[in-house]
Amino acid sequence: MELGPIFRALMHNKSRFWLIALEVALTLAIVANCINVMLDMRAEFFKPSGIDEESLLVVYTEPFAPEFKDEDFVDALREEDLVRLQSFPGVIEAAGFHQIPLSGSGSSAGRRPLGSEMEAETMPFFVVTERAVETLGVELLEGRSFTATDFDYDREAYDNGEPVRPVILNLSLAKKLFPEESAVGKVIQNEEGEVAETVIGVVGTMLNSWPTSSIGEDVMLLAGEPGNEYRMRYMVRTHPEDVESVYPKLEGLMREVEPGRVVTIRTLDEVKRRQFVANLAVIKILTTIIFLLVAVTSIGIVGLTSFSVTERTRQVGTRRALGATRGDILRHFLVENWMITGFGLAVGAILTLGLNYALTNIADAPKMEIGLLLGGVVLLWFTGIFAALLPAIRATRIAPEIATRTV
């Protein structure tokens, strides 16, 4: 089949040709960039946190009883809470946390190696109780985890700048502070040199409270006594299959220990989804936009091909009368559609890269991978072929007699 005559025939209806080609081009540019953004958001959500997310429950307590104004009461209650939680059927480990990983709410401080002139690194941190590493399920790479003696450090000496408070760093942060040597046993201090801690261990991958930030992979765990008269938080690790059975029982357990507080239980997955709720909403919106754009483009191609068939009924009948087979007629309309779609996709590829360049510079969007662009081209090319197929098949059913009947 000669392409020249088909192309010249298309040029007799330039406006129709350009409109559909432009629609295909814009659809490719928007759809490819939407998918690119969606994949980046999805990758952020599913980024390995190093934490045993599927097995963790979070216990939030908000005290209202006047007894909580007494620090000794809070300390004693924390110990009792942990004893009860750790001995509860189905619970593997439990620990107290002043903030919760992946929650979007946290704390950070600047630290650098003792005596170093380097600028202090921003260090998101969690004040935790004993068994925190085991509760999170993170991998201990070097040194050791916290023990009971780590929490008996001299508070006055610490306030005077002595490195008596133990901390654990994750590998990402340890490499930033000590790129050429092990961090275990080293001392870190704040910018002013007023606060210092000793590193006792290094864990592997662990995300902090802000997993999508530039420092989302840096974590410091500090031995301490999290909790006060306003809030107390715990993380509880179970076997994955026990989460559903333990979940509804923890609130009653906490109220049994101390009724003077509001207790809320959530899975870590629920906590994480609250942090990513905006991203998940954007993914749903972009998915809807993609579906509508592809549907509208498909309808446009169906309409164009159907109109073209109706407009050229006598021409098709004449060709049939002169010996053209149904396959010839089918190929003619599909090739015609292929030429329109192909031109639109060529223009669309340029628009896609241009739009992606603008988004990466203006909105910090991810750079477009060439594989994604090619995937979008293939998707829309097949969409165009399938959209034109039904009208083209209808054209093959035009009888040769139409050529004389419509003269």
Side-chain angles (χ1 to χ4, degrees), residues 242-258:
D242 292 332
V243 170
E244 292 299 323
S245 61
V246 174
Y247 187 115
K249 300 175 183 177
L250 290 184
E251 181 176 351
L253 172 68
M254 302 303 288
R255 290 184 184 279
E256 180 183 320
V257 176
E258 170 53 55

Side-chain angles (χ1 to χ4, degrees), residues 283-308:
I283 289 175
K284 291 180 180 179
I285 293 171
L286 293 180
T287 300
T288 303
I289 290 174
I290 290 170
F291 175 79
L292 291 176
L293 279 173
V294 173
V296 169
T297 301
S298 300
I299 292 171
I301 293 172
V302 170
L304 171 66
T305 309
S306 296
F307 182 77
S308 181

Side-chain angles (χ1 to χ4, degrees), residues 310-377:
T310 302
E311 188 180 45
R312 288 184 282 180
T313 300
R314 188 177 66 175
Q315 178 185 341
V316 173
T318 301
R319 288 193 61 195
R320 290 296 313 281
L322 292 175
T325 65
R326 289 188 174 185
D328 293 333
I329 302 300
L330 181 65
R331 281 195 299 273
H332 177 93
F333 284 103
L334 291 183
V335 170
E336 185 176 272
N337 170 266
W338 176 81
M339 296 178 88
I340 298 174
T341 305
F343 183 82
L345 292 174
V347 175
I350 299 173
L351 290 178
T352 299
L353 295 175
L355 179 58
N356 180 248
Y357 178 80
L359 290 173
T360 54
N361 287 277
I362 297 173
D364 197 28
K367 186 178 180 181
M368 174 77 66
E369 296 290 339
I370 191 66
L372 177 59
L373 175 58
L374 293 176
V377 169

Side-chain angles (χ1 to χ4, degrees), residues 183-312:
V184 177
K186 301 296 191 301
V187 176
I188 57 177
Q189 63 179 18
N190 66 353
E191 190 77 40
E192 297 78 17
E194 300 171 347
V195 176
E197 294 100 5
T198 299
V199 181
I200 64 168
V202 175
V203 297
T205 300
M206 179 179 171
L207 301 183
N208 57 48
S209 296
W210 310 288
T212 61
S213 71
S214 59
I215 55 172
E217 298 180 2
D218 297 340
V219 177
M220 175 172 66
L221 303 177
L222 291 93
E225 299 173 338
N228 51 39
E229 62 180 293
Y230 304 106
R231 64 186 63 85
M232 299 178 72
R233 300 184 177 100
Y234 304 96
M235 295 188 73
V236 178
R237 186 181 179 195
T238 72
H239 295 288
E241 62 272 15
D242 292 332
V243 170
E244 292 299 323
S245 61
V246 174
Y247 187 115
K249 300 175 183 177
L250 290 184
E251 181 176 351
L253 172 68
M254 302 303 288
R255 290 184 184 279
E256 180 183 320
V257 176
E258 170 53 55
R261 52 186 173 178
V262 177
V263 180
T264 304
I265 312 297
R266 293 195 179 99
T267 65
L268 186 59
D269 182 65
E270 290 174 320
V271 173
K272 180 179 178 180
R273 286 182 179 276
R274 285 173 177 261
Q275 159 72 355
F276 283 89
V277 64
N279 285 18
L280 296 175
V282 169
I283 289 175
K284 291 180 180 179
I285 293 171
L286 293 180
T287 300
T288 303
I289 290 174
I290 290 170
F291 175 79
L292 291 176
L293 279 173
V294 173
V296 169
T297 301
S298 300
I299 292 171
I301 293 172
V302 170
L304 171 66
T305 309
S306 296
F307 182 77
S308 181
V309 170
T310 302
E311 188 180 45
R312 288 184 282 180

Side-chain angles (χ1 to χ4, degrees), residues 105-228:
S105 177
S107 304
S108 64
R111 293 289 188 272
R112 64 182 180 183
L114 180 67
S116 171
E117 296 299 323
M118 69 179 286
E119 185 176 347
E121 293 284 349
T122 300
M123 303 175 66
F125 68 87
F126 300 101
V127 179
V128 300
T129 64
E130 189 182 356
R131 310 301 296 170
V133 171
E134 293 78 8
T135 299
L136 292 169
V138 292
E139 181 184 8
L140 184 65
L141 300 180
E142 293 182 76
R144 61 177 178 83
S145 183
F146 294 120
T147 62
T149 57
D150 291 324
F151 298 84
D152 295 329
Y153 62 89
D154 188 330
R155 267 61 172 176
E156 185 176 349
Y158 178 67
D159 291 338
N160 290 329
E162 295 183 32
V164 295
R165 189 178 191 179
V167 300
I168 294 175
L169 307 180
N170 75 335
L171 184 60
S172 172
L173 196 49
K175 290 298 183 183
K176 287 183 179 181
L177 294 174
F178 305 98
E180 303 297 333
E181 54 187 335
S182 171
V184 177
K186 301 296 191 301
V187 176
I188 57 177
Q189 63 179 18
N190 66 353
E191 190 77 40
E192 297 78 17
E194 300 171 347
V195 176
E197 294 100 5
T198 299
V199 181
I200 64 168
V202 175
V203 297
T205 300
M206 179 179 171
L207 301 183
N208 57 48
S209 296
W210 310 288
T212 61
S213 71
S214 59
I215 55 172
E217 298 180 2
D218 297 340
V219 177
M220 175 172 66
L221 303 177
L222 291 93
E225 299 173 338
N228 51 39

